[in-house]
Every structure is written in C-alpha cells, then in structure tokens.
Amino acid sequence: MFLEVTKRRNPQLVEAAIKLHQEGSILPDTYILDLDRIEKNAKYLKRQADESGIELFYMTKQIGRNPLVSQAIKNAGIENAVVVDYKEALIMMEHNLPIGNVGHLVQVPTRLLEKIVAYGPKFMTVFSIEMLEKINDSAQKLGKKQKILLKVIEPTDEVYEGQFGGFHLSELRELALVTKKMKNIEISGITSFPCFLYDGESQLNPTNNVKTIEKATEILKESGINITELNIPSATCGKTIPFIQQIGGTQGEPGHALTGTTPLHAKLDLEELPSMIYVSEISHNLDGKAYLYGGGYYRRGHFDNALIIEENGQQETDQVESFGNESIDYYLSTKKSHPVGSTVLAAFRTQIFVTRSDVAVVSGISQGKPKVEGLYNSLGNLIRR
C-alpha cells in the first residue's frame, strides 16, 4: 500500500532497513520506525493544529505503544497521548507520559479506575452511567475532579465490529439529571468514532457520527450541561485538521499521520513523510513460490507487494499473495521464488499492537547513519537497547 511512496519519498529509510537487516542488527518480522522523521511529522501536525485552534492527542497503538517514540512526539509539542485501552495507559504511566484521553475505544476496568484517576488523565471517555458513578466515587476518594467525554452512538452511525458502546441520544436528558448529583466529575465533551471515512480516492468525508455529536451537544446544553470539547477522531492529519475546525471540533487524535500512513498518504503527497517500514526475510521456496517470515500481518493492511533484495544487491518487487483470516501468518508467500536469506521490505497499513512483531526505533536515518536506539516488542516493552 505504501511501498512505492516510501521508496520515493523516504529512500533513506529503505536503505537503512536493508543495511540493518543484512548486517544482522534486526531480525525478520521487525517494523522500523524512523524516529527523526516521526518527530518532524509531529512538529508539523502541532503547527497545523495550533493554526486551527485544535488540541491534539497522539495515538500509539499503530506503532506498538512505543514509549521512546511517544517521548519524541511529546518533545515535538503534542504533549498528551490518547490511549486506546487500559494496557496502553499503563505503558504511558510507567514512562511518566501524560495521558490526554483514556477510555475510548476501551473502557477502564473498574478495579483499575482509582489508579488511572490518580494518575491524572486530562479526560476520560465513558459509555455508561455505571462507569460515571464509579469514576465519581474514585475521584471523590482521591479528592479530585475528573473531566469526562461522553461517547454517543445511534443505529445510523458508522461503528466497527468490536467497538460498540456509548449513550443513545434518547438517554442524554436523564443522564444530565443524574450526573448533576455527581460532584467529582465534569461532563466536558462528546466523542464518537469514526468521524471521517476515506472515499478511496483523495478525500475524507464526515460520517453520520458527526451529526449525532452535534445533536448530543444541543440536548446536553438544553439540559444545563455546557459542552466545551468535541473530540473528532479518525485519520487526523495536516490535511484534515481544518475539517475538524469547520465542523466545530476542538480535539483530534493523530495516529497514522505520525508515520505518514493514513489512507490519504497512499494517494497524495502530503507533508507527513512515510516513517515506518516492515522487514522480513525469505525463509524457503516451494513450487515456484517464495515464503517469507510472518508475524506482522494485519488483515486490513493491504499488504500486497514487497521489495526483495538479494545479498548481491539485486532488487525486485513481487506480489504478496492474499492470506486468509482463518490461519496464523507463520509465513506469507510471493508469486515468484527468491534466494533464501534475501531481505524483504514492505510498507502497509498496520496496527503493530495486534501483531507479534518487534519494533526497532532508529535514529539518524536521514543522515545515512542509522542507529537502533531501542528494540521493543509489539506492546511497548523494551527487549534491548
């Protein structure tokens, strides 16, 4: 999906990946993250957001919850993370990284609430009155007041399987009455996901979720709750930040934009450069096909081609065959055979945290002096420096 654009727009990343694999610094099934380029992408996003008056929370699940990269993004000016689940929250907390939003997409377990509230996330996203009551109790015990984002959902909204949860519009007036009695929470905003969807060509269009957010805001204001924050996530990047402003949003959540890998980046040369590449190796050949080490396959990733680099330097692009969801990706196959030990490079849309890949954070790539700053697993835990 992103192989050709990566070769063209960040050739130093391709060169570094070949070098690091062939010298044995990294093994197959490793994602390389271009640390310096990600930091530059983050600085650009921060400038764009400041111009539009949008607050950004960076997301790290797609880069394996990586704390080293998270620190670089924070240093670039996007100070707070949005954590997709409580396990990602714990990684951020372990490394003393501020949390901007926790609970969306995955609610915080009740027995972890006090620890999370004590840490001090800027916002917590909530799906139910029961959770609001529990957060209020935890905040009261700690002597704190916790800001809340409410997730809203209607049958006409776009919602991915495995992500259902939230308040229906019909529930909001009653919710407003109940929460006025909770003195240790503050209903500050509304959120949903996805708020934009890619048209397959060159544009992101608002989903019906945005209309639901707007209706929810009106209902809550009529009920005496002043909504100051509209969290509008999905494919946040430099090109789409003005769209968030146009529909009244106040918050965006860049994830793939940090590595230049939103769907728009596959079609358009945007400011954010591609900063992530997948490295594997040819394991064996059978019946005219080559088999490469797997582990990094993501079923929505459009992993459709790969660059094969032989030990003598010869390069060839080959098609990666489609892979069924019912099997484990021990190996993936290409249409043609290739020498065993050849380097395999690919660039596609991924979510590293659901793979079993390693993550190599590499600095100095643009200077032609790649240095592995740290090797991590897909969940953000350090393997070695």
mmCIF file with all atom_site columns, all heavy atoms in Angstrom, residues 332-351:
data_model
loop_
_atom_site.group_PDB
_atom_site.id
_atom_site.type_symbol
_atom_site.label_atom_id
_atom_site.label_alt_id
_atom_site.label_comp_id
_atom_site.label_asym_id
_atom_site.label_entity_id
_atom_site.label_seq_id
_atom_site.pdbx_PDB_ins_code
_atom_site.Cartn_x
_atom_site.Cartn_y
_atom_site.Cartn_z
_atom_site.occupancy
_atom_site.B_iso_or_equiv
_atom_site.pdbx_formal_charge
_atom_site.auth_seq_id
_atom_site.auth_comp_id
_atom_site.auth_asym_id
_atom_site.auth_atom_id
_atom_site.pdbx_PDB_model_num
ATOM 1   N N   . LEU A 1 332 ? 4.180  -15.794 4.826   1.00 0.00 ? 332 LEU A N   1
ATOM 2   C CA  . LEU A 1 332 ? 3.424  -15.244 3.708   1.00 0.00 ? 332 LEU A CA  1
ATOM 3   C C   . LEU A 1 332 ? 4.183  -15.609 2.440   1.00 0.00 ? 332 LEU A C   1
ATOM 4   O O   . LEU A 1 332 ? 5.403  -15.835 2.477   1.00 0.00 ? 332 LEU A O   1
ATOM 5   C CB  . LEU A 1 332 ? 3.281  -13.731 3.830   1.00 0.00 ? 332 LEU A CB  1
ATOM 6   C CG  . LEU A 1 332 ? 2.555  -13.214 5.086   1.00 0.00 ? 332 LEU A CG  1
ATOM 7   C CD1 . LEU A 1 332 ? 2.579  -11.692 5.122   1.00 0.00 ? 332 LEU A CD1 1
ATOM 8   C CD2 . LEU A 1 332 ? 1.126  -13.726 5.136   1.00 0.00 ? 332 LEU A CD2 1
ATOM 9   N N   . SER A 1 333 ? 3.488  -15.664 1.323   1.00 0.00 ? 333 SER A N   1
ATOM 10  C CA  . SER A 1 333 ? 4.122  -16.123 0.093   1.00 0.00 ? 333 SER A CA  1
ATOM 11  C C   . SER A 1 333 ? 4.095  -15.053 -0.985  1.00 0.00 ? 333 SER A C   1
ATOM 12  O O   . SER A 1 333 ? 3.213  -14.188 -1.014  1.00 0.00 ? 333 SER A O   1
ATOM 13  C CB  . SER A 1 333 ? 3.433  -17.389 -0.416  1.00 0.00 ? 333 SER A CB  1
ATOM 14  O OG  . SER A 1 333 ? 2.059  -17.154 -0.650  1.00 0.00 ? 333 SER A OG  1
ATOM 15  N N   . THR A 1 334 ? 5.082  -15.126 -1.882  1.00 0.00 ? 334 THR A N   1
ATOM 16  C CA  . THR A 1 334 ? 5.134  -14.254 -3.049  1.00 0.00 ? 334 THR A CA  1
ATOM 17  C C   . THR A 1 334 ? 4.865  -15.075 -4.304  1.00 0.00 ? 334 THR A C   1
ATOM 18  O O   . THR A 1 334 ? 4.930  -16.302 -4.301  1.00 0.00 ? 334 THR A O   1
ATOM 19  C CB  . THR A 1 334 ? 6.514  -13.577 -3.173  1.00 0.00 ? 334 THR A CB  1
ATOM 20  O OG1 . THR A 1 334 ? 7.529  -14.573 -3.312  1.00 0.00 ? 334 THR A OG1 1
ATOM 21  C CG2 . THR A 1 334 ? 6.809  -12.729 -1.940  1.00 0.00 ? 334 THR A CG2 1
ATOM 22  N N   . LYS A 1 335 ? 4.576  -14.400 -5.381  1.00 0.00 ? 335 LYS A N   1
ATOM 23  C CA  . LYS A 1 335 ? 4.214  -15.081 -6.627  1.00 0.00 ? 335 LYS A CA  1
ATOM 24  C C   . LYS A 1 335 ? 5.380  -15.864 -7.214  1.00 0.00 ? 335 LYS A C   1
ATOM 25  O O   . LYS A 1 335 ? 5.192  -16.888 -7.874  1.00 0.00 ? 335 LYS A O   1
ATOM 26  C CB  . LYS A 1 335 ? 3.725  -14.051 -7.649  1.00 0.00 ? 335 LYS A CB  1
ATOM 27  C CG  . LYS A 1 335 ? 2.351  -13.464 -7.339  1.00 0.00 ? 335 LYS A CG  1
ATOM 28  C CD  . LYS A 1 335 ? 1.255  -14.487 -7.617  1.00 0.00 ? 335 LYS A CD  1
ATOM 29  C CE  . LYS A 1 335 ? -0.123 -13.856 -7.485  1.00 0.00 ? 335 LYS A CE  1
ATOM 30  N NZ  . LYS A 1 335 ? -1.213 -14.821 -7.738  1.00 0.00 ? 335 LYS A NZ  1
ATOM 31  N N   . LYS A 1 336 ? 6.609  -15.363 -6.987  1.00 0.00 ? 336 LYS A N   1
ATOM 32  C CA  . LYS A 1 336 ? 7.798  -15.987 -7.585  1.00 0.00 ? 336 LYS A CA  1
ATOM 33  C C   . LYS A 1 336 ? 8.756  -16.451 -6.497  1.00 0.00 ? 336 LYS A C   1
ATOM 34  O O   . LYS A 1 336 ? 8.634  -16.064 -5.336  1.00 0.00 ? 336 LYS A O   1
ATOM 35  C CB  . LYS A 1 336 ? 8.495  -14.991 -8.522  1.00 0.00 ? 336 LYS A CB  1
ATOM 36  C CG  . LYS A 1 336 ? 7.655  -14.577 -9.721  1.00 0.00 ? 336 LYS A CG  1
ATOM 37  C CD  . LYS A 1 336 ? 8.423  -13.721 -10.688 1.00 0.00 ? 336 LYS A CD  1
ATOM 38  C CE  . LYS A 1 336 ? 8.682  -12.332 -10.148 1.00 0.00 ? 336 LYS A CE  1
ATOM 39  N NZ  . LYS A 1 336 ? 9.304  -11.430 -11.150 1.00 0.00 ? 336 LYS A NZ  1
ATOM 40  N N   . SER A 1 337 ? 9.709  -17.267 -6.863  1.00 0.00 ? 337 SER A N   1
ATOM 41  C CA  . SER A 1 337 ? 10.735 -17.721 -5.927  1.00 0.00 ? 337 SER A CA  1
ATOM 42  C C   . SER A 1 337 ? 11.855 -16.698 -5.840  1.00 0.00 ? 337 SER A C   1
ATOM 43  O O   . SER A 1 337 ? 12.088 -15.928 -6.780  1.00 0.00 ? 337 SER A O   1
ATOM 44  C CB  . SER A 1 337 ? 11.289 -19.074 -6.356  1.00 0.00 ? 337 SER A CB  1
ATOM 45  O OG  . SER A 1 337 ? 11.914 -18.960 -7.624  1.00 0.00 ? 337 SER A OG  1
ATOM 46  N N   . HIS A 1 338 ? 12.560 -16.707 -4.692  1.00 0.00 ? 338 HIS A N   1
ATOM 47  C CA  . HIS A 1 338 ? 13.670 -15.783 -4.454  1.00 0.00 ? 338 HIS A CA  1
ATOM 48  C C   . HIS A 1 338 ? 14.711 -16.482 -3.593  1.00 0.00 ? 338 HIS A C   1
ATOM 49  O O   . HIS A 1 338 ? 14.380 -17.409 -2.839  1.00 0.00 ? 338 HIS A O   1
ATOM 50  C CB  . HIS A 1 338 ? 13.174 -14.512 -3.752  1.00 0.00 ? 338 HIS A CB  1
ATOM 51  C CG  . HIS A 1 338 ? 12.146 -13.745 -4.527  1.00 0.00 ? 338 HIS A CG  1
ATOM 52  N ND1 . HIS A 1 338 ? 12.470 -12.923 -5.569  1.00 0.00 ? 338 HIS A ND1 1
ATOM 53  C CD2 . HIS A 1 338 ? 10.781 -13.712 -4.426  1.00 0.00 ? 338 HIS A CD2 1
ATOM 54  C CE1 . HIS A 1 338 ? 11.366 -12.382 -6.067  1.00 0.00 ? 338 HIS A CE1 1
ATOM 55  N NE2 . HIS A 1 338 ? 10.329 -12.855 -5.391  1.00 0.00 ? 338 HIS A NE2 1
ATOM 56  N N   . PRO A 1 339 ? 15.959 -16.048 -3.657  1.00 0.00 ? 339 PRO A N   1
ATOM 57  C CA  . PRO A 1 339 ? 17.009 -16.710 -2.869  1.00 0.00 ? 339 PRO A CA  1
ATOM 58  C C   . PRO A 1 339 ? 16.739 -16.658 -1.367  1.00 0.00 ? 339 PRO A C   1
ATOM 59  O O   . PRO A 1 339 ? 16.311 -15.624 -0.836  1.00 0.00 ? 339 PRO A O   1
ATOM 60  C CB  . PRO A 1 339 ? 18.272 -15.912 -3.226  1.00 0.00 ? 339 PRO A CB  1
ATOM 61  C CG  . PRO A 1 339 ? 17.996 -15.330 -4.572  1.00 0.00 ? 339 PRO A CG  1
ATOM 62  C CD  . PRO A 1 339 ? 16.531 -15.012 -4.557  1.00 0.00 ? 339 PRO A CD  1
ATOM 63  N N   . VAL A 1 340 ? 16.973 -17.762 -0.700  1.00 0.00 ? 340 VAL A N   1
ATOM 64  C CA  . VAL A 1 340 ? 16.824 -17.836 0.748   1.00 0.00 ? 340 VAL A CA  1
ATOM 65  C C   . VAL A 1 340 ? 17.764 -16.840 1.422   1.00 0.00 ? 340 VAL A C   1
ATOM 66  O O   . VAL A 1 340 ? 18.931 -16.707 1.028   1.00 0.00 ? 340 VAL A O   1
ATOM 67  C CB  . VAL A 1 340 ? 17.109 -19.267 1.245   1.00 0.00 ? 340 VAL A CB  1
ATOM 68  C CG1 . VAL A 1 340 ? 17.205 -19.310 2.765   1.00 0.00 ? 340 VAL A CG1 1
ATOM 69  C CG2 . VAL A 1 340 ? 16.047 -20.232 0.732   1.00 0.00 ? 340 VAL A CG2 1
ATOM 70  N N   . GLY A 1 341 ? 17.274 -16.133 2.407   1.00 0.00 ? 341 GLY A N   1
ATOM 71  C CA  . GLY A 1 341 ? 18.068 -15.134 3.115   1.00 0.00 ? 341 GLY A CA  1
ATOM 72  C C   . GLY A 1 341 ? 17.911 -13.726 2.580   1.00 0.00 ? 341 GLY A C   1
ATOM 73  O O   . GLY A 1 341 ? 18.400 -12.771 3.206   1.00 0.00 ? 341 GLY A O   1
ATOM 74  N N   . SER A 1 342 ? 17.225 -13.571 1.439   1.00 0.00 ? 342 SER A N   1
ATOM 75  C CA  . SER A 1 342 ? 17.020 -12.236 0.869   1.00 0.00 ? 342 SER A CA  1
ATOM 76  C C   . SER A 1 342 ? 16.195 -11.370 1.816   1.00 0.00 ? 342 SER A C   1
ATOM 77  O O   . SER A 1 342 ? 15.290 -11.852 2.509   1.00 0.00 ? 342 SER A O   1
ATOM 78  C CB  . SER A 1 342 ? 16.309 -12.329 -0.477  1.00 0.00 ? 342 SER A CB  1
ATOM 79  O OG  . SER A 1 342 ? 17.096 -13.009 -1.428  1.00 0.00 ? 342 SER A OG  1
ATOM 80  N N   . THR A 1 343 ? 16.517 -10.083 1.834   1.00 0.00 ? 343 THR A N   1
ATOM 81  C CA  . THR A 1 343 ? 15.755 -9.125  2.627   1.00 0.00 ? 343 THR A CA  1
ATOM 82  C C   . THR A 1 343 ? 14.415 -8.851  1.959   1.00 0.00 ? 343 THR A C   1
ATOM 83  O O   . THR A 1 343 ? 14.340 -8.728  0.731   1.00 0.00 ? 343 THR A O   1
ATOM 84  C CB  . THR A 1 343 ? 16.535 -7.808  2.764   1.00 0.00 ? 343 THR A CB  1
ATOM 85  O OG1 . THR A 1 343 ? 17.795 -8.065  3.391   1.00 0.00 ? 343 THR A OG1 1
ATOM 86  C CG2 . THR A 1 343 ? 15.762 -6.794  3.581   1.00 0.00 ? 343 THR A CG2 1
ATOM 87  N N   . VAL A 1 344 ? 13.373 -8.752  2.759   1.00 0.00 ? 344 VAL A N   1
ATOM 88  C CA  . VAL A 1 344 ? 12.036 -8.411  2.266   1.00 0.00 ? 344 VAL A CA  1
ATOM 89  C C   . VAL A 1 344 ? 11.581 -7.135  2.961   1.00 0.00 ? 344 VAL A C   1
ATOM 90  O O   . VAL A 1 344 ? 11.601 -7.051  4.196   1.00 0.00 ? 344 VAL A O   1
ATOM 91  C CB  . VAL A 1 344 ? 11.025 -9.539  2.547   1.00 0.00 ? 344 VAL A CB  1
ATOM 92  C CG1 . VAL A 1 344 ? 9.634  -9.151  2.049   1.00 0.00 ? 344 VAL A CG1 1
ATOM 93  C CG2 . VAL A 1 344 ? 11.481 -10.847 1.908   1.00 0.00 ? 344 VAL A CG2 1
ATOM 94  N N   . LEU A 1 345 ? 11.183 -6.135  2.165   1.00 0.00 ? 345 LEU A N   1
ATOM 95  C CA  . LEU A 1 345 ? 10.679 -4.882  2.715   1.00 0.00 ? 345 LEU A CA  1
ATOM 96  C C   . LEU A 1 345 ? 9.248  -4.657  2.246   1.00 0.00 ? 345 LEU A C   1
ATOM 97  O O   . LEU A 1 345 ? 8.918  -4.918  1.085   1.00 0.00 ? 345 LEU A O   1
ATOM 98  C CB  . LEU A 1 345 ? 11.541 -3.699  2.270   1.00 0.00 ? 345 LEU A CB  1
ATOM 99  C CG  . LEU A 1 345 ? 13.016 -3.703  2.665   1.00 0.00 ? 345 LEU A CG  1
ATOM 100 C CD1 . LEU A 1 345 ? 13.683 -2.408  2.219   1.00 0.00 ? 345 LEU A CD1 1
ATOM 101 C CD2 . LEU A 1 345 ? 13.186 -3.896  4.156   1.00 0.00 ? 345 LEU A CD2 1
ATOM 102 N N   . ALA A 1 346 ? 8.420  -4.172  3.141   1.00 0.00 ? 346 ALA A N   1
ATOM 103 C CA  . ALA A 1 346 ? 7.041  -3.866  2.799   1.00 0.00 ? 346 ALA A CA  1
ATOM 104 C C   . ALA A 1 346 ? 6.575  -2.655  3.602   1.00 0.00 ? 346 ALA A C   1
ATOM 105 O O   . ALA A 1 346 ? 7.117  -2.361  4.672   1.00 0.00 ? 346 ALA A O   1
ATOM 106 C CB  . ALA A 1 346 ? 6.132  -5.063  3.080   1.00 0.00 ? 346 ALA A CB  1
ATOM 107 N N   . ALA A 1 347 ? 5.602  -1.954  3.067   1.00 0.00 ? 347 ALA A N   1
ATOM 108 C CA  . ALA A 1 347 ? 5.020  -0.800  3.754   1.00 0.00 ? 347 ALA A CA  1
ATOM 109 C C   . ALA A 1 347 ? 3.523  -0.839  3.526   1.00 0.00 ? 347 ALA A C   1
ATOM 110 O O   . ALA A 1 347 ? 3.064  -0.744  2.388   1.00 0.00 ? 347 ALA A O   1
ATOM 111 C CB  . ALA A 1 347 ? 5.627  0.499   3.236   1.00 0.00 ? 347 ALA A CB  1
ATOM 112 N N   . PHE A 1 348 ? 2.781  -0.997  4.601   1.00 0.00 ? 348 PHE A N   1
ATOM 113 C CA  . PHE A 1 348 ? 1.334  -1.163  4.500   1.00 0.00 ? 348 PHE A CA  1
ATOM 114 C C   . PHE A 1 348 ? 0.697  -0.609  5.762   1.00 0.00 ? 348 PHE A C   1
ATOM 115 O O   . PHE A 1 348 ? 1.376  -0.274  6.735   1.00 0.00 ? 348 PHE A O   1
ATOM 116 C CB  . PHE A 1 348 ? 0.976  -2.647  4.311   1.00 0.00 ? 348 PHE A CB  1
ATOM 117 C CG  . PHE A 1 348 ? 1.651  -3.578  5.292   1.00 0.00 ? 348 PHE A CG  1
ATOM 118 C CD1 . PHE A 1 348 ? 1.037  -3.910  6.489   1.00 0.00 ? 348 PHE A CD1 1
ATOM 119 C CD2 . PHE A 1 348 ? 2.920  -4.099  5.020   1.00 0.00 ? 348 PHE A CD2 1
ATOM 120 C CE1 . PHE A 1 348 ? 1.663  -4.758  7.399   1.00 0.00 ? 348 PHE A CE1 1
ATOM 121 C CE2 . PHE A 1 348 ? 3.547  -4.945  5.923   1.00 0.00 ? 348 PHE A CE2 1
ATOM 122 C CZ  . PHE A 1 348 ? 2.920  -5.271  7.122   1.00 0.00 ? 348 PHE A CZ  1
ATOM 123 N N   . ARG A 1 349 ? -0.613 -0.544  5.744   1.00 0.00 ? 349 ARG A N   1
ATOM 124 C CA  . ARG A 1 349 ? -1.327 -0.030  6.915   1.00 0.00 ? 349 ARG A CA  1
ATOM 125 C C   . ARG A 1 349 ? -1.354 -1.115  7.983   1.00 0.00 ? 349 ARG A C   1
ATOM 126 O O   . ARG A 1 349 ? -1.780 -2.239  7.726   1.00 0.00 ? 349 ARG A O   1
ATOM 127 C CB  . ARG A 1 349 ? -2.743 0.367   6.512   1.00 0.00 ? 349 ARG A CB  1
ATOM 128 C CG  . ARG A 1 349 ? -3.519 1.088   7.599   1.00 0.00 ? 349 ARG A CG  1
ATOM 129 C CD  . ARG A 1 349 ? -4.807 1.660   7.027   1.00 0.00 ? 349 ARG A CD  1
ATOM 130 N NE  . ARG A 1 349 ? -5.667 2.212   8.050   1.00 0.00 ? 349 ARG A NE  1
ATOM 131 C CZ  . ARG A 1 349 ? -5.543 3.423   8.573   1.00 0.00 ? 349 ARG A CZ  1
ATOM 132 N NH1 . ARG A 1 349 ? -4.561 4.202   8.160   1.00 0.00 ? 349 ARG A NH1 1
ATOM 133 N NH2 . ARG A 1 349 ? -6.375 3.865   9.486   1.00 0.00 ? 349 ARG A NH2 1
ATOM 134 N N   . THR A 1 350 ? -0.907 -0.789  9.171   1.00 0.00 ? 350 THR A N   1
ATOM 135 C CA  . THR A 1 350 ? -0.789 -1.812  10.204  1.00 0.00 ? 350 THR A CA  1
ATOM 136 C C   . THR A 1 350 ? -1.287 -1.302  11.546  1.00 0.00 ? 350 THR A C   1
ATOM 137 O O   . THR A 1 350 ? -1.537 -0.105  11.731  1.00 0.00 ? 350 THR A O   1
ATOM 138 C CB  . THR A 1 350 ? 0.675  -2.276  10.341  1.00 0.00 ? 350 THR A CB  1
ATOM 139 O OG1 . THR A 1 350 ? 0.727  -3.413  11.213  1.00 0.00 ? 350 THR A OG1 1
ATOM 140 C CG2 . THR A 1 350 ? 1.559  -1.177  10.923  1.00 0.00 ? 350 THR A CG2 1
ATOM 141 N N   . GLN A 1 351 ? -1.438 -2.227  12.460  1.00 0.00 ? 351 GLN A N   1
ATOM 142 C CA  . GLN A 1 351 ? -1.671 -1.934  13.873  1.00 0.00 ? 351 GLN A CA  1
ATOM 143 C C   . GLN A 1 351 ? -0.705 -2.854  14.615  1.00 0.00 ? 351 GLN A C   1
ATOM 144 O O   . GLN A 1 351 ? -1.019 -4.006  14.899  1.00 0.00 ? 351 GLN A O   1
ATOM 145 C CB  . GLN A 1 351 ? -3.124 -2.232  14.271  1.00 0.00 ? 351 GLN A CB  1
ATOM 146 C CG  . GLN A 1 351 ? -4.163 -1.381  13.567  1.00 0.00 ? 351 GLN A CG  1
ATOM 147 C CD  . GLN A 1 351 ? -4.212 0.037   14.098  1.00 0.00 ? 351 GLN A CD  1
ATOM 148 O OE1 . GLN A 1 351 ? -3.646 0.354   15.148  1.00 0.00 ? 351 GLN A OE1 1
ATOM 149 N NE2 . GLN A 1 351 ? -4.874 0.910   13.365  1.00 0.00 ? 351 GLN A NE2 1
#
